[in-house]
Amino acid sequence: MNDKTARPDPTVIGEVAAPPFARLPDPLTLFVDRALRLRTLAARSEIGPYLRFLSDLAEMQYRIQDDLPEPAMPDGAALARARAHAMPPLDRAGFAPDAVFAATFDRLTAAAAGIAMPPAAAAALERVRTAGRAQGEAMLRAVLASAIPADALAEHAFMAAALQVHFARLAARLDAGALVPVGIGACPCCGGPPVSTMVVGWRGAHGTRFCACGLCGTYWHHVRVQCVLCGGTKGIGYQEVEGGAGTVKAETCDSCHRYVKVLYQVKETDLEPMADDAGSLGLDLLMQQQGEYERGGFNPFLLGY
């Protein structure tokens, strides 16, 4: 179903929202909430086994954080420079894997070995665990560049899971009040693209929309009825699966011919950007079948759609 008519949202009547620009992740609750939501979605989904696997992986992302070393943060001069030049303080392009990331990666991949998964996925995990330094860094760079090769999706998914933990821990230690916009469709912490967007029900921000970073888990405010990818405001439309509950829609843009999902947390409080993006694969299949818009959100666990 396609609807290009913008209508006021009755959920915000009588409430004045003064949203913060950014909301930083809590690395512990981020993955716990994701795991629980994925488990709920798995129980009622046609792709339940895959969502259950993602739930188990998110649980491992939570569990491995206990006693991890403190990540090395940019110094004050680097943070000030990033702010002055409207650049993300966590530089994805310049990220150099260190001992803390190595510990995170080793713990995550070791823990993931205990998750029930198909033989092909287990083989991919073993390839990641035994990859040489050059091959491992190539995987890392591909994830950070949102350019994962189609013939190695499973391997990169495990690398992405380790990077999510590391970057969420980095982002959590920044000052949200010091963050500034760094470009359309770019996370103000790490510069990454959104996995999806969410119209939230938070106190003080009720009915406003936030983009959610698919890497570090940061939320940043973005106005509604405007493409989060190109900034266009003309030809914005909304599509959803016929008979849907109205909680997940694809916001389409006729300027860039891409779409990003909008999740309506104001209608269902348990929605989670990464989990519900994966759980609404049927919407991606619908959009793919229509062939008019390309997917613009980046989810390392939902590639190829």
Side-chain angles (χ1 to χ4, degrees):
M1 178 165 42
N2 194 352
D3 181 4
K4 294 191 176 182
T5 303
R7 299 184 179 91
D9 187 342
T11 63
V12 302
I13 293 175
E15 184 166 345
V16 178
F21 168 61
R23 178 168 167 173
L24 299 176
D26 177 330
L28 294 177
T29 60
L30 172 66
F31 297 110
V32 167
D33 291 346
R34 186 170 296 167
L36 292 174
R37 180 60 178 171
L38 283 163
R39 200 154 297 169
T40 297
L41 292 170
R44 63 190 192 211
S45 173
E46 294 181 358
I47 59 169
Y50 181 60
L51 297 180
R52 182 56 188 252
F53 162 73
L54 292 182
S55 173
D56 291 343
L57 185 60
E59 183 178 343
M60 293 304 105
Q61 289 176 291
Y62 157 71
R63 290 188 181 279
I64 66 162
Q65 293 183 58
D66 188 33
D67 295 330
L68 273 178
E70 281 289 308
M73 298 296 296
D75 61 28
L79 293 174
R81 185 165 57 251
R83 178 179 172 84
H85 295 281
M87 298 170 59
L90 305 178
D91 180 13
R92 293 160 64 105
F95 174 68
D98 57 11
V100 178
F101 174 72
T104 303
F105 174 83
D106 289 345
R107 285 194 189 185
L108 191 281
T109 53
I115 297 173
M117 66 183 80
L125 174 59
E126 185 61 21
R127 288 193 293 271
V128 173
R129 296 182 69 183
T130 59
R133 179 174 178 179
Q135 187 179 11
E137 289 204 14
M139 291 183 194
L140 180 148
R141 296 295 167 206
V143 172
L144 293 179
S146 306
I148 297 174
D151 61 349
L153 300 181
E155 291 92 329
H156 287 76
F158 291 111
M159 177 62 75
L163 284 166
Q164 284 177 339
V165 174
H166 187 72
F167 271 81
R169 297 180 74 230
L170 288 170
R173 289 160 171 78
L174 294 172
D175 176 5
L179 296 176
V180 296
V182 298
I184 296 172
C187 171
C189 281
C190 71
V195 59
S196 61
T197 71
M198 192 160 68
V199 179
V200 304
W202 306 336
R203 182 181 299 275
H206 193 283
T208 58
R209 178 163 70 153
F210 284 77
C211 297
C213 180
L215 179 66
C216 72
T218 296
Y219 290 93
W220 69 98
H221 180 246
H222 190 92
V223 298
R224 297 172 68 169
V225 199
Q226 181 188 53
C227 179
V228 302
L229 302 170
C230 74
T233 57
K234 295 182 179 180
I236 300 295
Y238 296 89
Q239 299 196 37
E240 63 179 320
V241 175
E242 193 70 34
T247 56
V248 181
K249 298 181 181 181
E251 182 180 81
T252 59
C253 175
D254 287 346
S255 296
C256 66
H257 294 282
R258 292 179 290 174
Y259 73 92
V260 171
K261 290 176 187 172
V262 185
L263 315 179
Y264 292 86
Q265 191 198 46
V266 286
K267 296 182 178 181
E268 186 174 351
T269 58
D270 291 336
L271 293 174
E272 199 281 331
M274 183 81 59
D276 282 273
D277 180 51
S280 56
L281 176 61
L283 179 55
D284 294 288
L285 295 176
L286 172 66
M287 301 302 294
Q288 190 177 68
Q289 183 179 35
Q290 292 178 352
E292 187 176 355
Y293 303 97
E294 292 185 358
R295 179 179 164 89
F298 178 74
N299 186 335
F301 309 124
L302 198 63
L303 295 171
Y305 295 99

